[in-house]
Amino acid sequence: MSENRRQSILDIARKVGLVTVDELISRFDVTPQTIRKDLNRLCDERLLTRTHGGARLASSVENMSYEARRMLASEQKQAIGKAVSSIIPNNASLFVNIGTTTEAVAQALLQHEQLLVITNNINVASLMRPYPQNKVIIASGEVRSSDGGVIGASAVDFIKQFKVDFAVIGASAIDADGALLDYDYREVKVSQAILSNARHVILVADSSKHERAAPVRIGHISQTHSFVTDHCPDEAFRKLLESFEIQVIETDAHGTSDAHSRRGASEAGSFD
């Protein structure tokens, strides 16, 4: 019974990303002590990671479901999107890669004009399609059923045809040494092509990405020009960003932001 319950808890975490003690008590009709024991066991086995009042999926080889990722830190992602929209001017070309944070950026850009948006994210293309003042081009390739991402060699070749003003990229995890990480090597190949073919790279990621791990390396924070987040996790990482003269914009859930450092630009919207 205990093993079956723990497996069920793990399955729920895979679907929704986070589980809470109160929700699990109600679901399984057991005592708080029993649930805490189950969570402790799953955390000791490094299948879950403790959070305040519960736990989250801790896998370094398996991502959360798209819906779980979309709901996780949703207010922070909306604020990040608004901050990025202030960097990107009208009449600009840009890449937007796969991710729920990059989709929040696309949402914030809907009122811009004369944008050329090139994406391997079907959700971004669908979101921006009804707005004729902007042009959307979608990459060709295999469509990943889990989240609408277009991946594979065809998508890489497609991206390499362009050289754009901005790239808006997300990552599933950010290592303490500045490595940008993801789960699917086919997706990573597309992201690497995007990094190489944009004049100004904007990394968008909420602070929870510093608590996660993923097995495939996209690149390094030094390959970016701006980093937009809700807040930096610690002073060591902030100093790393400063060492590469990366523009850092930290924003709270209400959309206010503060730029701390800049690379070769006197204004947030300047090109590198």
Side-chain angles (χ1 to χ4, degrees):
M1 289 289 292
S2 297
E3 186 64 31
N4 289 340
R5 188 174 56 250
R6 284 194 292 272
Q7 183 60 53
S8 295
I9 292 171
L10 188 58
D11 290 341
I12 294 168
R14 288 193 177 107
K15 291 179 181 178
V16 301
L18 296 169
V19 292
T20 67
V21 171
D22 290 342
E23 290 171 347
L24 295 175
I25 291 169
S26 176
R27 185 183 185 95
F28 294 104
D29 193 24
V30 293
T31 65
Q33 291 79 6
T34 297
I35 290 299
R36 291 192 182 97
K37 183 177 179 181
D38 287 338
L39 292 179
N40 285 336
R41 174 75 174 271
L42 290 167
C43 290
D44 290 343
E45 294 173 352
R46 298 190 176 183
L47 297 171
L48 296 180
T49 298
R50 291 176 180 83
T51 64
H52 180 69
R56 61 174 176 81
L57 190 66
S59 175
S60 63
V61 297
E62 179 183 12
N63 206 355
M64 291 181 286
S65 70
Y66 169 76
E67 187 61 25
R69 300 198 310 271
R70 190 176 68 83
M71 297 301 294
L72 190 64
S74 60
E75 290 187 353
Q76 289 87 343
K77 291 172 183 177
Q78 290 174 21
I80 288 168
K82 290 178 181 178
V84 174
S85 72
S86 69
I87 297 176
I88 297 175
N90 293 328
N91 300 289
S93 57
L94 62 147
F95 291 128
V96 180
N97 81 336
I98 303 168
T100 55
T101 310
T102 57
E103 289 172 22
V105 174
Q107 178 71 49
L109 290 172
L110 292 180
Q111 302 307 316
H112 276 50
E113 295 182 350
Q114 302 303 313
L115 294 180
L116 173 62
V117 180
I118 302 147
T119 184
N120 65 323
N121 186 333
I122 282 181
N123 301 314
V124 167
S126 298
L127 181 66
M128 303 195 78
R129 179 194 58 78
Y131 295 81
Q133 70 270 27
N134 298 312
K135 182 181 292 184
V136 181
I137 302 176
I138 190 163
S140 60
E142 176 188 347
V143 179
R144 191 166 57 191
S145 60
S146 61
D147 60 5
V150 181
I151 54 178
S154 296
V156 172
D157 292 341
F158 183 86
I159 292 297
K160 288 180 178 179
Q161 296 181 78
F162 299 90
K163 184 74 173 184
V164 301
D165 301 323
F166 294 92
V168 179
I169 68 163
S172 293
I174 303 175
D175 212 36
D177 66 359
L180 309 179
L181 306 169
D182 224 310
Y183 293 92
D184 189 333
Y185 73 92
R186 299 166 301 172
E187 175 185 345
V188 163
K189 290 291 185 182
V190 181
S191 296
Q192 288 170 344
I194 288 173
L195 280 172
S196 299
N197 289 283
R199 298 181 182 92
H200 188 112
V201 178
I202 304 171
L203 174 65
V204 294
D206 67 85
S207 54
S208 71
K209 301 299 175 66
H210 298 275
E211 302 170 0
R212 302 183 66 192
V216 189
R217 183 185 178 96
I218 300 171
H220 191 267
I221 193 78
S222 60
Q223 294 173 265
T224 71
H225 303 87
S226 299
F227 177 43
V228 185
T229 184
D230 53 336
H231 69 271
C232 288
D234 54 49
E235 284 305 310
F237 194 78
R238 189 185 298 279
K239 289 180 180 178
L240 179 68
L241 295 169
E242 290 175 353
S243 71
F244 294 113
E245 298 182 338
I246 295 169
Q247 176 191 22
V248 181
I249 297 176
E250 296 178 272
T251 178
D252 62 24
H254 301 293
T256 60
S257 59
D258 183 25
H260 291 281
S261 60
R262 304 185 184 280
R263 171 191 277 185
S266 59
E267 297 180 0
S270 299
F271 293 5
D272 183 282

